[in-house]
Amino acid sequence: MRVPMIAGNWKMNTTVSEATALVNEMRRGLDEITNVDKVICPPFVSLAVVRELIKGSSIKLGAQNIYFEEMGAYTGEISPLMLADLCEFVIIGHSERRQYFNETGEIVNKKIQAALRVGLKPILCIGERLEENEAGRTEEVVTEQLRSSLAGIDYLSGLIIAYEPVWAIGTGKAATGKQSNETIGLIRQNIAELYDKEIAQGVCILYGGSVTAANAAEFVQQPEIDGALVGGASLKADQFLSIVKQTSEIRGRLSG
Ligand code: PEP
């Protein structure tokens, strides 16, 4: 049985004091829910502070990006070793990084390898753009992104995958539960081909793209979808809490 996960990607939002207030607002409610993994991914500058604030709770911490070298003359970059000391997860290959920072499949692959090397759990984001979706190329694009991201990687210890159709991110236009369930099923099938069936059954695969308290149930009740990567709605304590609560209730019902 895979443990469901709801992860919040705060993107480039919140100052340290705003991050502190947001964590304080959601901490107790999140901590009470124990059958869902709850991960928050604030900006780098707030990681150390948030880490202290969630100490002793069941809330987990992630970063939003990583560089693939461990140390050296890479001004402004954050290394896997630095992150491993601070948090458990790291988002890799988010479409905003692919789009605005020219992250290629090769770079994403290096980052995944770097994260796994130091014991960080990557949340690998893959997903098709609108024109690819409209051209019926979703399956091809997602398969290619998955395979290039995982090239040369022979163990997936802790890897999480987030299927995030690019056209659904931050647009308010989410995919449907049924569509996402099918694509996530295809991702799982690819993992089974690349590794084996047992590994594929164990990998946590999330949906991401305009998930809110109003539509979360549609996704988390699908058999292939293990939870959500939430952007905008993770910046509102009541929304994020409601998404986690709904996931807890639905998953509790389905497994009971
Ligand atoms: C994201 O940033 O990964 C995301 C899914 O954003 P949003 O929920 O705002 O669409």
Side-chain angles (χ1 to χ4, degrees):
M1 208 41 200
R2 298 181 295 268
V3 178
M5 173 183 286
I6 302 294
N9 173 15
W10 294 7
K11 311 196 190 200
M12 198 178 71
N13 295 295
T14 67
T15 60
V16 175
S17 54
E18 287 165 347
T20 302
L22 185 54
V23 173
N24 284 336
E25 214 182 327
M26 51 172 86
R27 191 194 126 121
R28 188 192 296 197
L30 287 181
D31 196 28
E32 280 168 0
I33 297 166
T34 52
N35 63 342
V36 177
D37 276 338
K38 303 133 303 188
V39 182
I40 50 178
C41 304
F44 283 133
V45 292
S46 293
L47 282 175
V49 170
V50 171
R51 179 173 179 250
E52 287 308 305
L53 291 170
I54 61 175
K55 218 174 225 168
S57 81
S58 56
I59 305 166
K60 301 179 177 189
L61 190 59
Q64 299 173 18
N65 185 27
I66 192 175
Y67 191 54
F68 49 77
E69 295 291 349
E70 292 192 353
M71 63 181 74
Y74 303 102
T75 303
E77 292 296 330
I78 306 288
S79 98
L81 289 174
M82 297 168 189
L83 287 182
D85 214 27
L86 274 176
C87 59
E88 186 176 345
F89 296 89
V90 58
I91 297 172
I92 294 179
H94 192 281
S95 68
E96 286 151 15
R97 296 222 50 93
R98 295 179 194 258
Q99 185 181 351
Y100 305 130
F101 303 98
N102 302 319
E103 279 193 12
T104 60
E106 194 186 337
I107 292 172
V108 170
N109 175 257
K110 282 185 175 179
K111 291 185 170 191
I112 299 275
Q113 301 211 33
L116 290 173
R117 229 177 359 249
V118 298
L120 280 165
K121 296 172 182 162
I123 303 177
L124 165 65
C125 301
I126 54 177
E128 82 286 0
R129 296 195 304 262
L130 182 60
E131 60 273 27
E132 293 164 336
N133 180 281
E134 287 175 346
R137 295 183 53 224
T138 298
E139 184 170 333
E140 173 202 337
V141 171
V142 166
T143 300
E144 195 287 318
Q145 283 183 359
L146 180 77
R147 290 186 175 237
S148 66
S149 302
L150 299 181
I153 295 173
D154 52 17
Y155 69 102
L156 295 184
S157 165
L159 180 95
I160 317 288
I161 297 170
Y163 165 58
E164 300 209 301
V166 178
W167 48 270
I169 299 178
T171 58
K173 187 175 171 249
T176 66
K178 189 169 175 289
Q179 282 166 345
S180 331
N181 190 61
E182 276 171 22
T183 307
I184 289 177
L186 167 94
I187 294 170
R188 208 177 290 289
Q189 197 183 308
N190 266 281
I191 306 239
E193 284 165 23
L194 289 169
Y195 299 90
D196 66 42
K197 218 171 161 188
E198 204 178 317
I199 290 177
Q201 282 310 314
V203 174
C204 176
I205 311 182
L206 313 176
Y207 165 78
S210 296
V211 172
T212 63
N215 65 11
E218 179 183 347
F219 297 99
V220 299
Q221 69 193 353
Q222 303 289 336
E224 294 290 352
I225 304 181
D226 299 319
L229 179 55
V230 184
S234 71
L235 291 164
K236 296 178 191 121
D238 58 338
Q239 283 273 322
F240 193 63
L241 209 50
S242 167
I243 294 168
V244 174
K245 267 191 191 147
Q246 292 182 55
T247 306
S248 165
E249 283 160 15
I250 289 169
R251 283 309 170 118
R253 221 181 301 135
L254 292 176
S255 66

